[in-house]
Amino acid sequence: MKRLIIFDLDGTLAKSKSAIDREMAELLNNLLEVAQVAIISGGDWPQFETQVLQYLPKKAMLKKLMILPTCGTKFYQYRKDWEELYEENFTAEEREKILNNLHTAIEAARLDIKKTWGEQIEDRGSQITFSGLGQQAPLDQKKVWDPDFEKRKKIVEPLKETLSEFSIGMGGTTSIDIVKPGIDKAYGIRKLNEILEIKIPEMLFIGDALFEGGNDYPARNTGADCIQVRDPEETKRIIETIIACLTSKNKKQ
């Protein structure tokens, strides 16, 4: 029986950099009544506020919801308000090395990007993220830019050599996330295990980038059961099934 349901955000609960819709908000609210829930994403804390938290019903059981920004390098838990339990920031030397090598890899990839919306590189303290078309690019442009990940692989492959001591993953529709060594979604799952004292076999991870090289892929290495989804619509159907199964199980107990 699963006690903790863990979700990726972009592409899983919502479209990239977009808010969850009303149906998803209600489903998450209902899921919180029968299980604990965690969301792990490459986005920073403000992204969770604008994409998820402000759309949940006021009655939502927030004390059963855990938020892990920047691929698990930060951890927020709700008590009387949201509190940060830890944060794994880069040192100044690590930050400089990452930025220098990232700029070099981008130039060498010769992607010939015609237009960007906002900054391409964002320093999130515990994670540095490259967004091919910029942080504010419209979704319709992002979806067609690199659907097969081939453009981003031109950047990631050399970075695996020059930044071998860091974790590098491709997530969302245009992004590359770089975090401290050993700190990825698997790290976040192990932190959930440690803090909540929930065994990993009692967890279920749901994400859209569980393929090798995707930023959800490390979750597979934890021993947690994982479900790959195409989009938020498929996630909704899975949540409905989970709620039905847990509700039925609780009635029998």
Side-chain angles (χ1 to χ4, degrees), residues 141-159:
Q141 296 290 325
K142 289 164 58 173
K143 288 174 68 175
V144 300
W145 182 69
D146 190 28
D148 56 4
F149 295 84
E150 290 303 316
K151 290 185 174 74
R152 280 173 285 173
K153 286 179 183 176
K154 293 179 181 179
I155 299 173
V156 169
E157 291 306 316
L159 289 180

Side-chain angles (χ1 to χ4, degrees), residues 31-238:
L31 182 59
L32 284 166
E33 294 181 0
V34 295
Q36 295 193 70
V37 175
I39 307 174
I40 306 180
S41 172
D44 208 348
W45 171 252
Q47 196 169 326
F48 286 87
E49 292 183 297
T50 58
Q51 286 187 250
V52 179
L53 298 178
Q54 67 176 331
Y55 296 98
L56 293 177
K58 291 183 179 179
K59 62 181 180 179
M61 302 174 69
L62 296 181
K63 290 184 178 180
K64 295 173 68 178
L65 175 63
M66 271 55 66
I67 301 294
L68 286 79
T70 54
C71 293
T73 58
K74 302 178 183 180
F75 191 117
Y76 287 81
Q77 193 169 25
Y78 191 89
R79 293 188 173 109
K80 292 183 179 180
D81 201 349
W82 289 103
E83 298 179 10
E84 186 181 73
L85 272 63
Y86 70 79
E87 184 173 349
E88 304 283 356
N89 282 340
F90 292 120
T91 65
E93 293 77 13
E94 288 172 330
R95 181 174 289 104
E96 182 179 8
K97 180 175 183 179
I98 291 169
L99 291 172
N100 287 342
N101 283 281
L102 180 56
H103 282 294
T104 298
I106 293 168
E107 291 176 9
R110 299 179 181 273
L111 297 180
D112 191 29
I113 298 171
K114 304 295 185 184
K115 182 178 179 180
T116 58
W117 291 260
E119 295 294 326
Q120 278 186 307
I121 298 175
E122 183 181 5
D123 182 353
R124 297 172 177 171
S126 57
Q127 175 179 297
I128 290 175
T129 295
F130 167 78
S131 297
L133 300 181
Q135 294 292 328
Q136 283 79 50
L139 182 58
D140 61 334
Q141 296 290 325
K142 289 164 58 173
K143 288 174 68 175
V144 300
W145 182 69
D146 190 28
D148 56 4
F149 295 84
E150 290 303 316
K151 290 185 174 74
R152 280 173 285 173
K153 286 179 183 176
K154 293 179 181 179
I155 299 173
V156 169
E157 291 306 316
L159 289 180
K160 287 181 178 179
E161 301 293 329
T162 60
L163 298 177
S164 60
E165 69 271 40
F166 296 96
S167 295
I168 304 167
M170 294 178 285
T173 50
T174 68
S175 64
I176 298 169
D177 299 320
I178 304 170
V179 295
K180 277 193 173 188
I183 298 180
D184 49 27
K185 290 185 180 177
Y187 177 88
I189 289 172
R190 294 186 183 105
K191 277 293 187 179
L192 287 163
N193 165 240
E194 174 188 327
I195 293 168
L196 302 180
E197 298 183 342
I198 293 177
K199 296 176 182 179
I200 288 179
E202 296 176 308
M203 301 178 185
L204 174 66
F205 181 89
I206 300 169
D208 71 315
L210 281 159
F211 50 84
E212 189 168 359
N215 68 354
D216 295 330
Y217 184 76
R220 291 192 182 277
N221 299 324
T222 64
D225 287 333
C226 297
I227 298 177
Q228 168 87 29
V229 294
R230 293 185 301 273
D231 53 33
E233 293 304 312
E234 185 172 15
T235 303
K236 290 176 184 178
R237 307 291 78 84
I238 291 170

